[in-house]
Amino acid sequence: MSYFKVAEKFVSINGEGPRAGELAVFLRFCGCNLNCCYCDTRWANTADVKYELASAEELVAYVKSTGVKNVTLTGGEPLLQAGIARLIVLLGTSGAEVEIETNGSMPLKDIVSLSPRPTVTADYKLPSSGMEKYMLTENFAYLALRDAVKFVVGDMRDMARAEEIIKEYGLTDRCRVYFSPVFGKIMPDEIAEFMKERKLNGVRLQLQLHKIIWKPDLRGV
């Protein structure tokens, strides 16, 4: 039996992605294979982070106990967890609507073939993150209209690079596409003006609701 390292689990408003504004149960797992300079959950990836070990069955029972249908698997990087596919299937068959927040460096082919199929929100790490070289663009072929690619932008160079990727891979015809600002690094109006100038139809500017509703560094929300 696989046990998962769970850094925190809680119910909150989904702050971003296709279900932004909706209630969701969050399961945050420890560990990440990337180290983005703007990471706001770095604490969950440290060697001394406190966590609980939980089985798939225990996590499904917890989700059921909340009475909330949407479930967001996040991290860290949830796809690093051994047995994550089984957890996704168990959650889906229990009636949950599963969303995976993944950093764009993990293969998605097997994940999107699961039944029930989860929704995927995949980052594409831009130059300011320092992690762009790890992005798997072959993942784009496995995305559907229910899924999303999120570009976390920190400056004008990031936005220009995001535009290149969107056009090269036809992302707005394939899935949902979001621009999200690095908190405190770029103003939303700068992104909006860029979108207007470049006529980026099908791209959505999305702010992190949880950082607006609560203090930006507050955990468990």
Side-chain angles (χ1 to χ4, degrees):
M1 178 183 293
S2 295
Y3 284 86
F4 301 90
K5 292 183 177 181
V6 182
E8 59 178 354
K9 59 184 190 293
F10 57 92
V11 174
S12 187
I13 296 296
N14 206 325
E16 53 194 331
R19 296 175 183 151
E22 296 185 37
L23 280 178
V25 186
F26 288 84
L27 302 178
R28 185 182 306 284
F29 301 101
C30 300
C32 190
N33 58 323
L34 301 183
N35 185 27
C36 299
C37 66
Y38 52 71
C39 181
D40 55 6
T41 54
R42 187 171 280 112
W43 62 269
N45 308 324
T46 59
D48 60 350
V49 64
K50 293 181 179 180
Y51 60 85
E52 67 170 292
L53 286 175
S55 67
E57 288 78 8
E58 288 169 335
L59 292 175
V60 170
Y62 165 72
V63 170
K64 283 185 176 180
S65 75
T66 68
V68 175
K69 187 174 183 180
N70 292 332
V71 182
T72 297
L73 307 183
T74 188
E77 172 49 60
L79 297 185
L80 289 174
Q81 298 286 318
I84 196 71
R86 179 171 180 269
L87 174 61
I88 292 167
V89 170
L90 287 178
L91 286 167
T93 54
S94 75
E97 295 287 344
V98 181
E99 176 189 8
I100 302 165
E101 291 186 343
T102 180
N103 63 25
S105 72
M106 303 294 292
L108 294 177
K109 182 179 180 180
D110 292 341
I111 294 300
V112 300
S113 67
L114 296 173
S115 181
R117 184 195 187 283
T119 296
V120 173
T121 298
D123 281 9
Y124 184 91
K125 304 298 184 185
L126 294 164
S128 73
S129 72
M131 297 288 119
E132 186 178 13
K133 65 182 179 180
Y134 299 107
M135 296 297 94
L136 299 181
T137 53
E138 56 265 37
N139 278 335
F140 295 150
Y142 303 111
L143 299 179
L145 292 176
R146 64 189 292 181
D147 302 315
V149 172
K150 182 178 65 177
F151 294 94
V152 179
V153 297
D155 52 32
M156 293 299 294
R157 180 187 176 201
D158 279 354
M159 287 191 284
R161 178 60 177 152
E163 182 185 17
E164 290 177 357
I165 294 295
I166 290 166
K167 291 182 176 179
E168 180 177 355
Y169 294 94
L171 291 183
T172 52
D173 294 324
R174 184 179 296 278
C175 63
R176 308 180 198 206
V177 177
Y178 299 104
F179 278 3
S180 181
V182 177
F183 194 81
K185 292 293 185 182
I186 189 170
M187 296 302 294
D189 63 328
E190 294 180 74
I191 301 174
E193 288 302 321
F194 180 88
M195 292 169 61
K196 286 164 58 179
E197 290 170 5
R198 304 301 179 98
K199 297 179 174 56
L200 294 182
N201 294 301
V203 177
R204 301 179 187 184
L205 169 58
Q206 188 173 77
L207 307 182
Q208 293 176 296
L209 290 177
H210 52 289
K211 292 187 178 181
I212 298 171
I213 299 171
W214 296 281
K215 293 180 179 180
D217 58 352
L218 189 64
R219 297 183 190 177
V221 295

